[in-house]
Amino acid sequence: HGPIAGTGLQAGANWDHAYDIGRLMGGFPETRIVIDYLNGEREVIHDCMAAPEICMIDDPRVSPDGKSIIYWVGIGSELRDVRAFGTNWNTGAKDIAGLNECQLWVYNIAKKQKTQISGGHCDRSADWIDNDTIVFSSNRGMTFPRFAKPPGNFYPFPSFQIHRGDIVRGKLANIENLTPHACMALNPMVATDGTVPHSELQCGIRSLLTSTPQNYLYIASIDTNGADGKSLLGFHHSPTLRSSAYRKGIDPTGSNNEE
C-alpha cells in the first residue's frame, strides 16, 4: 500500500510488514488487538504496544458461537531498527528481533476476560473447528527441515506443522499433529466444508538457501483429522506443482496435470 495520508515514504509507520516463510521467528512490529463495534466504540483486548514486555499479536479468529476470540502472542526479548530493504537507511521503526515463544490466547467477549491456553512452544494462527476444538500451526513437533545443500540446514528452527487440540478448562489439551510429514505448514483455516486449507513449503530438494524456488510453495488441504491430504494451488504464478515431476505419465506443463 502507499504511504499513510499526511506522511512521507520515509515515515516508520509505512514500513510495517507481515510475516511469511522467511519471517517466522523474527522481524515483527509490536501490535495490539482491537474490537471495533462500528458505532464509535473500540475495545483494546490485548495491547503489546503499551505493555512493558516485548511482544506482538496476530491472527484473531471469532468462535462459531460468536462468544470467543482466539489469537496468538509472540514474545521477544529485543527490539531492532527497521532498515529499508537492501539499504542502510533507518526508517525509524522498531521490530522484534526474534521470538522466544508463541502463545495461544482466548478472549471471552461477554466477560471481557482473556486467558492464555498454551505456552512453551511457538503455537500460532489458530482457527476453530467448533467452539471447543481448534487447529493451529506449531513447532512443538520438534522436527527440522531436511538438509538442502552443504553446509547445512536452510532453516535452523523446528518445522511448523498443523496441529489439532481441545480447549479444556482454559488449557489446550488432546493435542495431535495432523501433518507430521510436512516440512513447513502454516496458516490453517477451517472451511465451511470441513477441510483445512493451509500453506506448505516443499523443501526436501531445495537448491537455494535464501529464496523460495518456483512451485515449492503451495496451498494444501487436509480434513480435521489430518486425512484426505491434497494440493490445491501452486504459487509463484504457476498452476504446476513441483510434485508432478515425480509422477509417471503426467506432463508438468500440459493439461493432463490432475494435481
Side-chain angles (χ1 to χ4, degrees), residues 24-195:
L24 292 177
M25 297 300 292
F28 305 100
E30 293 185 293
T31 51
R32 62 169 62 102
I33 289 185
V34 179
I35 298 177
D36 191 333
Y37 292 96
L38 303 180
N39 60 1
E41 180 186 356
R42 292 183 177 182
E43 177 188 355
V44 178
I45 67 175
H46 203 131
D47 194 350
C48 281
M49 299 176 72
E53 67 179 346
I54 295 173
C55 63
M56 54 84 64
I57 311 168
D58 210 352
D59 295 331
R61 304 270 174 81
V62 180
S63 61
D65 62 8
K67 295 181 179 181
S68 302
I69 301 172
I70 195 165
Y71 57 93
W72 67 277
V73 178
I75 307 298
S77 56
E78 180 185 0
L79 292 175
R80 66 184 179 193
D81 294 332
V82 175
R83 300 187 182 277
F85 185 75
T87 76
N88 219 10
W89 174 61
N90 191 337
T91 67
K94 297 284 188 180
D95 266 352
I96 300 174
L99 298 181
N100 306 319
E101 182 180 357
C102 308
Q103 309 161 349
L104 292 178
W105 287 68
V106 172
Y107 181 77
N108 185 301
I109 297 174
K111 295 180 179 180
K112 299 185 182 298
Q113 177 182 345
K114 59 181 180 287
T115 303
Q116 180 183 338
I117 66 170
S118 79
H121 307 277
C122 196
D123 300 332
R124 62 205 299 163
S125 304
D127 200 8
W128 302 88
I129 295 176
D130 56 41
N131 295 317
D132 301 301
T133 307
I134 62 171
V135 289
F136 59 100
S137 183
S138 177
N139 65 1
R140 63 174 58 225
M142 292 305 294
T143 60
F144 287 79
R146 293 178 293 277
F147 281 77
K149 284 187 174 182
N153 203 312
F154 81 95
Y155 184 77
F157 303 103
S159 297
F160 282 88
Q161 295 162 334
I162 307 302
H163 291 65
R164 182 184 63 195
D166 299 323
I167 301 174
V168 180
R169 293 186 292 275
K171 293 296 181 182
L172 194 59
N174 307 320
I175 300 167
E176 181 182 358
N177 190 345
L178 301 183
T179 61
H181 58 280
C183 168
M184 196 72 69
L186 300 165
N187 303 315
M189 300 183 70
V190 180
T192 55
D193 63 358
T195 60

